């Protein structure tokens, strides 16, 4: 199974989750490529697409929230998952989405939920969605979250 993980990260936490999910998938024999959204390859031959981003202002990062992340010491990309989704068309495989959040309550919001909505609007079959908790805006991830990400990846395979 060929898996492509498309991500965006300002402080490195979502990127860390992506690597843990990839390790889980690889443990079950999947071929996994991780790409930053701005440099993601074409989707030819991809069986499972994973899209992950940090939650910003209850949803997907955009130019303004990336600017806010930079003022807090982050290193945001110029463009990310939202812009990549703008260009997505004709993907016929399955997909799953993930994000990082500072809390899991209703008022935390979820970038993964926004990604799921946009993928479904593009008629992509979204089979799973998961959030991983960071202790603060800049991280680190809460205890056990990287292990949980690896297990989630293995289960997806
Ligand atoms: C501008 C901005 C807005 C944020 N808004 C939210 C939010 O609405 N809900 C939430 O749970 N976390 C929020 N956060 C915290 C991020 O989720 C956290 O910085 C992120 O998960 C870290 O991931 P990264 O290291 O991949 O950037 C926000 C962070 C920034 C910089």
């Amino acid at each position: 199974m060929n898996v492509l993980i498309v991500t965006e990260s300002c402080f490195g936490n979502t990127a860390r989750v992506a690597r843990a999910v990839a390790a889980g998938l690889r443990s079950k024999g999947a071929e996994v490529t991780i790409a930053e959204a701005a440099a993601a390859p074409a989707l030819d031959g991809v069986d499972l697409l994973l899209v992950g981003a940090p939650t910003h202002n209850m949803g997907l990062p955009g130019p303004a929230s990336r600017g806010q992340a930079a003022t807090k010491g982050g290193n945001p990309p110029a463009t990310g998952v939202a812009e990549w989704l703008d260009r997505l068309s004709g993907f016929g495989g399955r997909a799953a989405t993930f994000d990082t959040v500072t809390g899991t309550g209703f008022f935390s919001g979820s970038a993964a939920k926004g990604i799921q909505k946009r993928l479904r609007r593009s008629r992509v079959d979204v089979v799973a969605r998961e959030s991983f908790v960071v202790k603060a805006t800049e991280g680190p991830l809460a205890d056990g979250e990287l292990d949980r990400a690896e297990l989630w990846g293995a289960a997806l395979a």
Side-chain angles (χ1 to χ4, degrees):
M1 180 171 66
N2 271 325
V3 184
L4 174 64
I5 306 182
V6 176
T7 62
E8 162 172 8
S9 187
C10 298
F11 298 91
N13 299 282
T14 313
R16 243 165 257 135
V17 168
R19 289 196 289 274
V21 172
L25 283 156
R26 287 183 184 123
S27 75
K28 299 291 181 187
E31 295 277 331
V32 188
T33 302
I34 303 177
E36 286 188 28
L43 295 174
D44 309 326
V46 172
D47 306 301
L48 177 65
L49 171 67
L50 266 65
V51 187
T55 300
H56 280 184
N57 302 329
M58 298 185 73
L60 271 169
S65 74
R66 291 187 198 113
Q68 288 172 289
T71 65
K72 293 173 194 280
N75 185 23
T79 68
V81 163
E83 293 84 352
W84 181 81
L85 286 167
D86 286 341
R87 299 192 299 274
L88 177 71
S89 73
F91 177 63
R94 293 173 308 138
T97 73
F98 63 95
D99 62 28
T100 48
V101 291
T102 47
T104 50
F106 179 77
F107 293 106
S108 298
S110 164
K113 205 170 181 178
I115 297 166
Q116 180 180 44
K117 207 179 279 177
R118 292 194 51 181
L119 285 170
R120 287 192 168 152
R121 217 181 291 149
S122 300
R123 306 202 174 284
V124 176
D125 181 19
V126 181
V127 297
R129 184 182 92 209
E130 196 56 71
S131 291
F132 298 93
V133 177
V134 292
K135 290 181 175 172
T137 294
E138 66 280 6
L141 284 147
D143 297 343
E145 289 298 75
L146 284 176
D147 290 340
R148 201 165 66 80
E150 190 167 338
L151 287 173
W152 187 67
L156 283 174

